[in-house]
Amino acid sequence: MNLTMILVVAATLSAAWVLLQGAEQIVTEHAVFGTGITQPSELKPMQTEEEIQALANKIKDRQKAFIRTVYVCGDELEPIGQMDAAEMLAYHKSNPYTVASLAADGSIHFVKTIEDLSPHCKENAYFGMDKGGNLSLFEGVPGTGEGNVIQTFFQLNIEHLESSLPRDAIKELYRGIQVRDLSEYNSVLSTFSDFAVEVTEKAMQLSR
C-alpha cells in the first residue's frame, strides 16, 4: 500500500472514529499553506518608502549584501555583492516585495518568502515522531538524534494513532515519511493533525 492510499485510509478511519464517539461538531485549525508562489501582483510592498529611507540613512559605507529566501521548510542565504545606501534603495525599488534589514555587522539583508519547500528540504525532509511523541519534521531520516529536528508541530495521541491507522502507516511514521513537495507536506501534516492530543481530547469531551 503506497503512502497516498495510506493517508486516504487514515483520514477515513479518523473521521469514522469521531462519528462513533457522537461528536456533533469539531473545529480543527490546521496549518494552512498554499500550493504555489504568491505572485508580486498579489502582494503589497512590505515596507514603506519612509522605512526604507530611514534604513538607508544608517548605511555609511559600502556593505556586503545578501538575499535570504525563506521557505515553508528551509531557507537559503546568497551573497549579492556590496552596496552603498543608494544601491540598496535602487535594489529594493526593483524588488519591493522583499524586506530589507541591517545585520549587527552592518551587512544588508533582503528577505523574500516563497510558499514551497527549499531544494534542500525536498531532498532531506522527513516527517516522524520525536522522543517526546511529537510529530516533527526532521532533516534526514528520524532516529539519528534530536539534533536533526527542523520543526516540532504537536504531540500525538499514540494510543488513538495506533488503534486507528493501518499498521503500514504506523511503521512508515516511525521510519520517517519523506516529503518531496508542498502537496505531500500538507497531506501528511493534515492527516496526522487529526491525531493531535488536543484534537482527540476535544472530540472525547464533545462526545460525552
Side-chain angles (χ1 to χ4, degrees):
M1 184 180 293
N2 59 35
L3 176 59
T4 301
M5 289 298 297
I6 288 172
L7 294 179
V8 171
V9 172
T12 302
L13 290 174
S14 178
W17 179 83
V18 170
L19 291 173
L20 289 173
Q21 292 296 322
E24 296 179 358
Q25 182 180 11
I26 298 174
V27 179
T28 304
E29 293 185 1
H30 297 303
V32 178
F33 302 104
T35 56
I37 299 172
T38 304
Q39 298 301 316
S41 61
E42 301 173 1
L43 296 173
K44 295 181 179 179
M46 304 294 290
Q47 293 169 300
T48 65
E49 292 184 9
E50 290 77 11
E51 290 172 331
I52 294 300
Q53 186 61 59
L55 196 65
N57 292 340
K58 298 178 181 180
I59 302 174
K60 305 303 180 183
D61 302 303
R62 292 179 65 81
Q63 300 288 345
K64 292 180 180 179
F66 301 86
I67 180 72
R68 181 186 176 197
T69 306
V70 178
Y71 297 86
V72 172
C73 169
D75 60 73
E76 296 177 343
L77 187 67
E78 179 183 359
I80 52 176
Q82 292 190 331
M83 295 182 180
D84 57 21
E87 290 169 328
M88 187 276 282
L89 288 171
Y91 184 91
H92 190 269
K93 186 175 181 179
S94 299
N95 301 271
Y97 309 105
T98 60
V99 176
S101 64
L102 297 180
D105 62 359
S107 60
I108 304 166
H109 291 248
F110 298 94
V111 180
K112 64 179 179 179
T113 302
I114 294 181
E115 205 167 353
D116 196 4
L117 308 186
S118 72
H120 182 75
C121 278
K122 288 179 179 180
E123 294 294 328
N124 299 281
Y126 290 77
F127 274 104
M129 189 161 52
D130 65 21
K131 293 180 179 178
N134 302 296
L135 182 72
S136 297
L137 194 65
F138 293 76
E139 180 181 9
V141 180
T144 58
E146 292 294 333
N148 61 346
V149 172
I150 300 173
Q151 185 177 356
T152 297
F153 296 95
F154 44 77
Q155 187 174 10
L156 292 166
N157 185 326
I158 307 299
E159 182 179 354
H160 177 40
L161 183 73
E162 294 183 343
S163 65
S164 303
L165 287 180
R167 183 175 298 179
D168 288 344
I170 301 296
K171 289 181 179 179
E172 191 161 7
L173 177 63
Y174 281 105
R175 289 196 302 262
I177 302 171
Q178 187 173 14
V179 286
R180 295 184 175 86
D181 57 46
L182 190 61
S183 177
E184 290 181 345
Y185 176 97
N186 287 337
S187 178
V188 174
L189 187 59
S190 176
T191 294
F192 285 102
S193 66
D194 290 334
F195 300 96
V197 168
E198 60 182 33
V199 173
T200 54
E201 286 180 347
K202 184 176 182 180
M204 294 176 67
Q205 291 171 358
L206 289 173
S207 67
R208 291 172 182 170

